[in-house]
Amino acid sequence: MMMGNLTTLNPAELWPLLPELVMVTGAFALLVLDLFVSSRRNGIVHMLGLLLLVVTGALCIAGSGGHGTVLNGMFVRDTLADLLKGGILLTTALAFVYAWPFLRDRGLYKGEVTLLMLFAALGMMLLVSAGSLVMVYLGLEMLALSSYALVVTDRDNPVASEAGMKYFVLGALASGMLLFGMSLIYGATGTLDLAQINASAQGGGAHRDLLLAGSAFVVAGIAFKFGAAPFHMWLPDVYQGAATPITLFIASAPKIAALGMALRLLVNGLSPVGDHWQPMVAALSALSLIIGNFAALMQTNLRRMLAYSTISHIGFLLMGVAGGGVEGNAAAVFYAVVYAVTAAAAFGLITLMARNGFDADEIDDYKGLAARQPLMALLFLGVMASLAGVPPFIGFFAKLSVIEGALNGGLLWLAIVGIICAVVGAFYYLRVIKVMYFDQPAENAHPMVAHGEGGVKWLFVVNAGVLLVLSAFLQPLMAWCRSAF
């Protein structure tokens, strides 16, 4: 029967899959090309990979005429998928540009870095378009396996090796929990299709106790992939141990993909039992806000501080999902994209300031930066202010939108927790600003100079500057997010 469906498949029906087909064809072509390119000219593969991301992103944003479902409902292309894919490909492209001079100057760049990032992006694209539990798992594992390998790009670094091992072991545990939850859901409903799971749960055809148990494991698996507390133990070590551009990539695009996975599984598949999983998501949100912010207060390493702050941002993102409805889900999407772009800027500056033998990842390394690099200090001030939620930066409006989503969902207590934790979080971001503008560097401090090529520096200028400019387009951006639901 399946063979019959495949042989009679009309190629025109694959139009919704065009971005993914272009991406996988281009990635395999670059895989072959990399075999014939000498190590001295491997920048060609990297530049072609960046071009592939741009072309695929253009197909996602401009290809609304290709909306629909294919592969017997396993793959869904809609406004939500296009929006999330646009954010994923944008932040992956940023990681590409930041990574090239950093990895090249340290002798860490290999063609497989480009290819692993492309296949990770492909996995994320499949994940946010999943219409079936099979497609969810396929996209998730393609992302996860690529990410494990990327973390240990610097194979001679014992810290990176330790981080990669922790990431692999805990990621495998998370995948196992998610897969077990999916198996329970399949046992309860008799189907892998998310739309049919929704219909079965709504119509009372599912074994409810089994379905609720499966939902609990799915929520735990999603929390692991997000890095939400109390499933966050892998995140600080990976952020600190991986090469900075790899940390930039893992901190940005996969967060958008994790939200897409959560929305597909919880909203598209399990919304009839939302009264059971929404309290769990709200509890994860509150724990992430509290643990992430208070742990970040104690950090002296900038990358580790940003890792714990990421946990708090995941708390805000989950606040929108817990609030539910069009406003809550749209706010979560908006927050995810804004955070990904902001995180790219934060780690982008660390990438620019680092050089071989000096990682520029201690907060004290930035003492007196305003006197030595006034433009970079000013832009980094904007990045920290946006992460802290200071108006008029876009981060403020992102936080406000998810708090409103929580209030609309009747979660007043969670909104209060979010507001209090936002005030606490402002302290460690302001500490970085204070160090840059009011502290004097130590006598033996490394000279802080923005390294990298001119194009990379200008990319950071645009990346940081857009955090202020985007505030002027708040209403159209939010309207776009709402249209996805």
Side-chain angles (χ1 to χ4, degrees):
M1 187 68 177
M2 286 297 292
M3 288 299 294
N5 289 340
L6 290 174
T7 54
T8 59
L9 183 65
N10 182 359
E13 295 176 2
L14 293 178
W15 186 254
L17 268 169
L18 182 61
E20 283 74 15
L21 293 175
V22 169
M23 176 68 91
V24 72
T25 303
F28 277 113
L30 291 178
L31 178 63
V32 175
L33 176 63
D34 185 56
L35 297 174
F36 298 97
V37 175
S38 68
S39 59
R40 290 176 296 175
R41 303 180 62 188
N42 52 18
I44 295 173
V45 175
H46 198 71
M47 291 303 297
L48 289 175
L50 179 60
L51 178 62
L52 178 61
L53 289 170
V54 172
V55 171
T56 308
L59 290 173
C60 291
I61 300 300
S64 58
H67 286 179
T69 59
V70 293
L71 306 178
N72 292 325
M74 289 179 63
F75 183 91
V76 179
R77 186 173 178 192
D78 52 16
T79 303
L80 176 63
D82 283 345
L83 197 161
L84 294 176
K85 287 176 193 176
I88 288 167
L89 293 169
L90 170 65
T91 49
T92 303
L94 289 173
F96 260 61
V97 179
Y98 285 124
W100 168 244
F102 184 98
L103 298 177
R104 179 200 59 196
D105 294 346
R106 289 160 178 75
L108 296 176
Y109 182 80
K110 301 290 188 295
E112 49 263 36
V113 172
T114 294
L115 296 165
L116 285 168
M117 292 175 77
L118 289 175
F119 282 113
L122 176 62
M124 289 185 271
M125 293 171 69
L126 295 175
L127 189 56
V128 301
S129 281
S132 163
L133 297 179
V134 173
M135 189 62 74
V136 169
Y137 203 72
L138 174 65
L140 180 63
E141 289 309 297
M142 187 177 293
L143 166 62
L145 293 173
S146 301
S147 299
Y148 301 152
L150 284 169
V151 170
V152 290
T153 298
D154 188 0
R155 285 170 285 189
D156 296 328
N157 185 345
V159 179
S161 300
E162 180 185 351
M165 184 59 68
K166 287 181 179 178
Y167 194 16
F168 174 75
V169 172
L170 294 173
L173 176 62
S175 296
M177 293 180 67
L178 190 64
L179 190 60
F180 182 62
M182 289 178 177
S183 67
L184 293 178
I185 291 171
Y186 174 72
T189 61
T191 180
L192 297 170
D193 185 271
L194 291 173
Q196 294 178 23
I197 289 171
N198 190 300
S200 178
Q202 200 163 17
H207 296 278
R208 194 165 180 82
D209 291 343
L210 202 58
L211 183 64
L212 294 179
S215 302
F217 277 100
V218 163
V219 169
I222 291 171
F224 254 109
K225 293 303 178 182
F226 264 125
F231 306 102
H232 64 282
M233 58 286 292
W234 62 270
L235 196 142
D237 290 330
V238 169
Y239 275 38
Q240 186 177 5
T244 307
I246 304 304
T247 303
L248 187 157
F249 174 68
I250 293 173
S252 54
K255 299 299 181 282
I256 302 175
L259 175 64
M261 175 177 70
L263 293 175
R264 294 298 183 193
L265 287 171
L266 299 179
V267 177
N268 289 16
L270 298 170
S271 57
V273 291
D275 55 333
H276 290 272
W277 59 254
Q278 280 178 323
M280 288 189 284
V281 173
L284 289 170
S285 172
L287 282 173
S288 299
L289 287 165
I290 295 168
I291 293 175
N293 278 300
F294 283 94
L297 288 173
M298 299 180 285
Q299 306 306 315
T300 58
N301 182 280
L302 183 57
R303 283 206 279 171
R304 202 168 181 87
M305 187 207 84
L306 289 172
Y308 280 108
S309 78
T310 294
I311 298 168
S312 73
H313 287 289
I314 295 303
F316 278 109
L317 199 155
L318 291 175
M319 188 187 298
V321 177
V326 172
E327 291 298 326
N329 293 329
V333 170
F334 181 66
Y335 197 98
V337 175
V338 167
Y339 172 73
V341 175
T342 311
F347 286 103
L349 181 78
I350 300 174
T351 303
L352 283 174
M353 290 297 173
R355 59 188 178 278
N356 203 4
F358 175 56
D359 291 330
D361 58 356
E362 294 293 330
I363 294 176
D364 285 347
D365 291 336
Y366 293 82
K367 286 182 175 180
L369 183 65
R372 293 175 286 171
Q373 294 274 302
L375 177 60
M376 292 297 162
L378 179 63
L379 292 171
F380 201 40
L381 182 152
V383 174
M384 292 291 104
S386 185
L387 286 170
V390 176
F393 294 95
I394 193 66
F396 167 77
F397 298 103
K399 280 186 170 66
L400 184 63
S401 65
V402 292
I403 290 172
E404 288 178 349
L407 290 173
N408 291 335
L411 298 172
L412 175 62
W413 68 271
L414 184 57
I416 294 172
V417 171
I419 293 169
I420 294 172
C421 288
V423 175
V424 173
F427 175 82
Y428 52 82
Y429 292 121
L430 292 174
R431 182 176 63 185
V432 176
I433 297 172
K434 176 254 185 187
V435 163
M436 290 192 299
Y437 279 88
F438 299 105
D439 287 7
Q440 295 299 319
E443 292 182 3
N444 58 347
H446 287 271
M448 294 292 282
V449 180
H451 292 259
E453 294 150 355
V456 181
K457 294 177 185 176
W458 282 110
L459 175 69
F460 173 71
V461 172
V462 174
N463 191 178
V466 78
L467 301 177
L468 180 59
V469 175
L470 279 179
S471 301
F473 303 95
L474 177 64
Q475 294 305 322
L477 291 171
M478 282 301 300
W480 191 15
C481 292
R482 291 189 193 98
S483 69
F485 299 96

